[in-house]
Amino acid sequence: MTAQQRWQAAMMDNYGTPALELVRGEGATVFDADGTPYLDLVGGIAVNALGHAHPAVVKAVSEQVATLGHTSNLYINPVALSLAETLLDVAGLSGKVLFCNSGAEAVEGATKITRLTGKSKLVACDGGFHGRTMGALSVTGQPSKREPFEPLLPDVTHVPFGDAAALESAVDGDTAAVFIEPVLGEGGVVPAPDGFLQAAREITSNAGALLVLDEVQTGIGRLGSWFAFQQAGVTPDVITLAKGLGGGLPLGAVIGVGEAGELLKPGQHGTTFGGNPIACAAGLAVIRTIREHGLLDHVDTLGKDLAAGVAKLDHPLVSEVRGTGLLQGIGLTKPVAPAVATAAQRAGYLVNPVRPDTIRLAPPLIITERQVVDFLAALPAALDHGLQAGQES
């Protein structure tokens, strides 16, 4: 049996059946079962911040699993404690940290925190993606993902992303919180318009509501800063994290800033695996490596080079390039992103057709300038294939 046949026989069909089997990775390169290399511009969907098999992560995880693998939260685990202190340090905030295992769980935890304000009304944005668990799905602004599972949480209002006037109209004294992605990820790599996050901060503050920034995809260096809120110059009340935080291991976190960090009381929330020492050791290795290797500056510079390089191609299929740092979206003039991704894969490059008209790029933060140049040289042929597919359809 092929791997695809075994998948179909053993796995539920929620992902369909992937066409490619990956068996090994090194740096920003992955290899399939036949040994064919691919430059990984998906990064496990913005997860593999340091790429694959990074020595710092391998060392940290290996040493930790040989020392203390799991404790639960019935006991102090010094690795989780160190990571919490480190997160607050790089965030430059006074607050408290709650660890969990994924972005959706972080959003669930944040949602429970907002309920402890005594209010239940939530506001989120059209096109936003916050996860697929029932609470996270309630604030996700994508009807196709929501509708099969309704009814979801009540009292959730969605407004157009980036529309400050609509947000102000939706937020009132009964609003517990506003949930916003600084950059829509699954929504097509759409950065918040200038001034929107600042307006959201003012609107929520005036209404006595919490501002929850979902930095699951944008946090931990992805944009060339530790967090997107730092670029915007705002201080949220709650931040959700995951993806790149664990460098490939399942690790999420909620940061409650100031008074928001004091809302959860003993017995009101819990997680068996949250703060697992092995995952937290990986998280510490990720942050330490980003710091020691100057990767924030590297991401900022290379992201600008990547965006400029795509724009410079002046290809008729490319409508725009959106994003910041190493979270980039190539907007297409036709809904042929899957065809472009297929052609890129054949040429040895993995990209993500996140929407029919958008290619998402979220490579490891350690990707090299040479690798970016090679991708830009190969991209026109993949775009040509997509253009031809659009003409034939």
Side-chain angles (χ1 to χ4, degrees):
M1 293 176 68
T2 66
Q4 285 74 23
Q5 290 170 327
R6 291 170 57 204
W7 178 283
Q8 290 173 337
M11 305 286 281
M12 289 191 184
D13 200 34
N14 56 305
Y15 293 114
T17 303
L20 185 63
E21 179 185 12
L22 299 179
V23 300
R24 184 171 67 88
E26 182 179 342
T29 302
V30 289
F31 300 83
D32 68 15
D34 297 322
T36 304
Y38 302 86
L39 182 63
D40 181 10
L41 295 157
V42 180
I45 313 181
V47 165
N48 299 318
L50 301 183
H52 303 270
H54 192 283
V57 174
V58 172
K59 182 175 186 291
V61 168
S62 299
E63 291 180 352
Q64 188 59 49
V65 76
T67 303
L68 186 66
H70 179 70
T71 63
S72 84
N73 287 292
L74 298 176
Y75 311 97
I76 292 175
N77 138 22
V79 192
L81 181 55
S82 293
L83 180 57
E85 292 169 338
T86 301
L87 279 174
L88 293 171
D89 179 49
V90 297
L93 298 172
S94 175
K96 301 286 181 68
V97 177
L98 165 73
F99 286 117
C100 54
N101 309 288
S102 68
E105 287 180 69
V107 173
E108 293 286 345
T111 302
K112 290 180 74 173
I113 288 171
T114 71
R115 280 290 179 93
L116 295 174
T117 64
K119 297 181 283 189
S120 62
K121 180 179 175 182
L122 301 176
V123 179
C125 294
D126 292 333
F129 180 79
H130 300 283
R132 297 176 186 268
T133 50
M134 296 298 275
L137 193 58
S138 298
V139 289
T140 289
Q142 299 182 19
S144 64
K145 294 181 174 67
R146 292 165 49 89
E147 289 171 356
F149 304 100
E150 292 176 339
L152 298 168
L153 289 182
D155 298 329
V156 179
T157 301
H158 289 88
V159 300
F161 180 67
D163 189 333
L167 182 63
E168 187 169 21
S169 296
V171 175
D172 57 28
D174 294 325
T175 301
V178 172
F179 283 73
I180 300 176
E181 283 182 282
V183 178
L184 298 184
E186 294 286 322
V189 192
V190 182
D194 289 344
F196 180 61
L197 295 181
Q198 294 87 340
R201 176 67 284 178
E202 182 177 356
I203 291 164
T204 51
S205 295
N206 290 342
L210 300 180
L211 176 61
V212 181
L213 291 189
D214 184 335
E215 296 236 28
V216 167
Q217 193 158 163
T218 56
I220 315 300
R222 174 60 50 186
L223 305 187
S225 57
W226 288 112
F227 303 95
F229 78 81
Q230 293 167 328
Q231 293 189 10
V234 301
T235 301
D237 298 295
V238 180
I239 305 158
T240 59
L241 298 170
K243 290 194 180 288
L245 176 60
L249 275 75
L251 178 61
V254 183
I255 301 177
V257 181
E259 293 181 1
E262 306 290 343
L263 289 172
L264 276 178
K265 303 302 180 186
Q268 292 184 328
H269 194 56
T271 161
T272 298
F273 289 101
N276 172 269
I278 301 168
C280 288
L284 282 170
V286 168
I287 293 175
R288 183 172 60 250
T289 302
I290 291 173
R291 276 176 155 166
E292 292 177 354
H293 292 259
L295 289 181
L296 295 182
D297 289 340
H298 174 76
V299 168
D300 180 60
T301 299
L302 213 53
K304 290 173 181 174
D305 291 346
L306 176 59
V310 174
K312 189 176 179 181
L313 296 177
D314 197 26
H315 195 281
L317 187 60
V318 176
S319 61
E320 62 176 332
V321 185
R322 304 184 295 266
T324 306
L326 290 178
L327 180 58
Q328 300 284 340
I330 304 175
L332 306 179
T333 58
K334 296 179 182 294
V336 293
V340 174
T342 297
Q345 180 178 309
R346 289 173 182 158
Y349 299 90
L350 302 184
V351 301
N352 175 220
V354 66
R355 293 178 64 84
D357 62 353
T358 304
I359 294 291
R360 174 170 55 177
L361 306 176
L365 308 187
I366 50 88
I367 191 172
T368 67
E369 182 179 358
R370 178 74 258 171
Q371 288 170 325
V372 168
V373 168
D374 289 345
F375 168 67
L376 290 171
L379 182 57
L383 293 169
D384 287 345
H385 179 81
L387 199 59
Q388 182 179 358
Q391 293 169 346
E392 292 173 354
S393 61

